[in-house]
Amino acid sequence: MKHFIVEIDYLVPLARIQESVPAHRAYLQLGYDAGLLLCSGPKVPATGGFMLARAESLEQLQAFFLDDPFSREQLVRFAFSEFQPVKRQPWAEDWFAALSASTA
């Protein structure tokens, strides 16, 4: 399993983003339910957002975000940065456990 920081940058005014936030968050729930996402939230100030994600490949993660309402409506730009989580809080170990299986 690979791990990623997903960065969102808004391409339209915040008022337009806010119209699509409920649909975006409902879509993200699919990612949480599938185990792809650990956390997500807006930047401060609200110019975009960040997510901590995992997937078998970058391509799999990018494909997931193609169906995000933010993406479909061309409201944002997504950037994906892969990283290796070598240290983490014990309470998050279950989510990161796939790392051990894929590198063992």
Side-chain angles (χ1 to χ4, degrees):
M1 193 69 66
K2 297 180 178 192
H3 295 84
F4 302 88
I5 299 292
V6 181
E7 184 173 5
I8 296 174
D9 288 310
Y10 298 156
L11 300 176
V12 299
L14 183 58
R16 175 61 189 92
I17 293 293
Q18 290 172 332
E19 293 172 11
S20 293
V21 165
H24 164 70
R25 289 186 178 162
Y27 184 77
L28 289 184
Q29 189 59 50
L30 299 173
Y32 281 102
D33 293 346
L36 293 175
L37 301 175
L38 178 63
C39 62
S40 59
K43 295 178 183 178
V44 177
T47 59
F50 289 106
M51 290 176 255
L52 186 55
R54 67 179 183 184
E56 291 295 326
S57 67
L58 173 59
E59 294 77 18
Q60 179 192 27
L61 193 59
Q62 288 171 325
F64 172 76
F65 283 105
L66 282 177
D67 284 332
D68 185 308
F70 278 0
S71 182
R72 286 194 328 263
E73 298 173 36
Q74 300 179 341
L75 304 177
V76 305
R77 176 180 38 248
F78 290 97
F80 302 88
S81 298
E82 185 176 350
F83 75 104
Q84 295 182 5
V86 296
K87 287 198 57 75
R88 52 197 168 259
Q89 291 287 348
W91 54 261
E93 191 60 37
D94 287 345
W95 192 80
F96 287 104
L99 176 68
S100 301
S102 67
T103 58

